[in-house]
């Protein structure tokens, strides 16, 4: 029998499958909440400060008043009690429970806070990391505030499902002008003549934590960065394409809509950044526990 996942629901540790939430929770009714996903390597939370800062920013923009330092303490405690060594942590904060009305309920309900820890068996993208992932393109039909990490993910789910049905690992979301914005749950980078291109930050993309790390690693490695969206018409001209994300790490893409990128194999710049990413994980594991 598999071990039940450990959750922390509003400060109470319990098995995840025993957590119960009211149907009047505004996350359930409206998708009114924010979330984070963190990677756990060697029992430690990777890029914890960056994720906590983004959670603060998302909740501020959503005007949900939650005690994020307390959530961070509970996250650390729940991880320690879970015994998980390799895995992911999920955090979600909704505006809480109140009679259904669109405007914020008078008197502000208590936010509902969920944390759970899930082990990962091996590398979920192990094969694709070696051979390269296949992706498809699909129109970006999301709302105008994708910089907020909100639990409203219906357009992302539909895009990811379309990708899965086509035998692809990810869907690239394309704006009306042909600009590739980001993936359904990843950030997107192109490589051309040794330089990397990525979509500039703005309301239309999530400021990916892994994206930020990769940009710092590129600067350290002397790889030039162009903050510019890649257009679908440019896909035939670029040398490499890769995705970044908390669970996908640095993932090479070798085909888009069935057409090869570059020579159809993971390229050297992507490989170098993937190796540097691993080195940062190793440095964290070798350093003092935070
Ligand atoms: N998704 N873009 C979108 C739309 C995302 O949902 C994510 C992450 C990313 C990558 O961000 P980061 O490097 O901070 O993980 C980009 C998470 C993993 C998820 O929803 O499961």
């Amino acid at each position: 029998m598999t071990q039940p996942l450990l959750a922390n629901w509003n400060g109470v540790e319990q098995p995840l499958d025993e957590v119960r939430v009211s149907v009047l929770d505004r996350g359930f009714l409206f998708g009114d909440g924010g979330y984070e996903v963190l990677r756990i390597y060697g029992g430690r939370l990777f890029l914890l400060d960056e994720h906590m800062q983004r959670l603060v920013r998302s909740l501020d923009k959503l005007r949900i008043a939650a005690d994020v330092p307390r959530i961070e303490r509970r996250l650390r405690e729940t991880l320690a009690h879970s015994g998980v060594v390799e895995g992911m942590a999920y955090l979600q904060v909704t505006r809480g429970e109140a009679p259904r009305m669109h405007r914020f309920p008078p008197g502000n309900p208590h936010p509902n806070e969920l944390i759970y820890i899930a082990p990962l068996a091996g590398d979920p993208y192990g094969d694709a990391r070696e051979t390269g992932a296949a992706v498809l393109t699909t129109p970006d039909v999301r709302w105008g505030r994708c910089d907020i990490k909100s639990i409203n993910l219906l357009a992302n789910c539909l895009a990811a499902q379309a990708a899965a049905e086509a035998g692809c690992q990810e869907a690239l979301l394309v704006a009306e002008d042909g600009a590739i914005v980001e993936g359904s749950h990843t950030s997107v980078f192109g490589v051309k003549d040794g330089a990397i291109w990525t979509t500039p930050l703005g309301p239309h993309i999530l400021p990916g934590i892994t994206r930020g790390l990769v940009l710092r690693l590129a600067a350290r490695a002397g790889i030039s960065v162009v903050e510019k969206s890649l257009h679908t018409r440019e896909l035939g001209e670029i040398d490499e394409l890769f995705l970044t994300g908390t669970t996908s790490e640095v993932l090479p893409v070798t085909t888009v809509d069935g057409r090869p990128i570059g020579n159809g194999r993971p390229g050297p710049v992507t490989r170098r950044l993937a190796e540097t990413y691993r080195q940062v994980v190793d440095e964290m594991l070798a350093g003092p526990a935070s």
Side-chain angles (χ1 to χ4, degrees):
M1 217 180 74
T2 51
Q3 181 96 356
L5 303 186
L6 185 61
N8 184 310
W9 173 241
N10 292 325
V12 181
E13 276 183 23
Q14 56 191 288
L16 179 62
D17 58 8
E18 287 177 17
V19 174
R20 295 289 173 268
V21 59
S22 162
V23 292
L24 291 180
D25 178 81
R26 289 180 60 98
F28 182 76
L29 292 175
F30 295 116
D32 186 357
Y35 79 108
E36 279 296 327
V37 180
L38 292 83
R39 202 46 218 266
I40 301 157
Y41 296 109
R44 300 203 195 169
L45 292 156
F46 190 53
L47 304 173
L48 174 64
D49 291 348
E50 288 87 340
H51 282 281
M52 289 300 127
Q53 286 158 14
R54 187 172 63 185
L55 182 62
V56 167
R57 288 199 304 274
S58 296
L59 296 178
D60 277 354
K61 288 171 186 165
L62 295 172
R63 296 168 58 197
I64 294 177
D67 183 342
V68 173
R70 188 178 68 182
I71 293 174
E72 182 181 329
R73 276 198 305 281
R74 289 176 179 169
L75 168 63
R76 289 173 186 275
E77 284 164 15
T78 312
L79 171 60
H81 298 158
S82 74
V84 167
V85 178
E86 299 300 319
M88 47 84 65
Y90 181 79
L91 309 180
Q92 175 176 304
V93 183
T94 71
R95 200 177 307 278
E97 293 151 33
R100 185 181 182 279
M101 61 178 80
H102 284 70
R103 53 159 296 193
F104 299 170
N108 286 331
H110 287 294
N112 269 331
E113 299 172 7
L114 172 68
I115 300 168
Y116 72 82
I117 311 292
L120 279 178
D123 178 354
Y125 289 91
D127 290 344
R129 217 176 289 298
E130 287 310 308
T131 56
V135 303
L136 58 67
T137 57
T138 186
D140 187 359
V141 297
R142 299 173 303 163
W143 73 324
R145 292 304 308 273
C146 297
D147 54 315
I148 303 174
K149 198 158 174 66
S150 108
I151 58 174
N152 268 282
L153 291 172
L154 187 51
N156 307 59
C157 293
L158 291 172
Q161 179 62 19
E165 286 173 8
C168 292
Q169 277 82 23
E170 175 60 307
L172 303 183
L173 308 177
V174 179
E176 277 178 18
D177 65 357
I180 299 172
V181 181
E182 62 179 335
S184 76
H185 56 284
T186 55
S187 311
V188 179
F189 291 79
V191 181
K192 171 90 176 146
D193 300 328
I196 61 177
W197 297 4
T198 197
T199 313
L201 294 183
H204 48 295
I205 69 162
L206 184 76
I209 301 300
T210 323
R211 174 190 182 280
L213 173 65
V214 162
L215 291 180
R216 295 195 294 279
L217 295 178
R220 217 203 272 174
I223 299 170
S224 46
V225 174
V226 186
E227 294 211 43
K228 156 197 179 321
S229 302
L230 180 66
H231 276 249
T232 46
R233 63 172 181 274
E234 293 166 325
L235 284 170
E237 299 158 26
I238 57 168
D239 305 318
E240 302 175 37
L241 188 67
F242 66 91
L243 306 173
T244 66
T246 295
T247 42
S248 37
E249 303 179 352
V250 177
L251 187 68
V253 173
T254 44
T255 68
V256 178
D257 296 331
R259 284 188 289 279
I261 297 294
N263 65 10
R265 291 195 298 278
V269 175
T270 308
R271 282 201 188 280
R272 188 155 158 222
L273 287 167
E275 279 160 21
T276 330
Y277 176 97
R278 276 277 137 198
Q279 283 163 11
V280 175
V281 173
D282 291 342
E283 280 164 23
M284 172 191 73
L285 294 177
S290 60

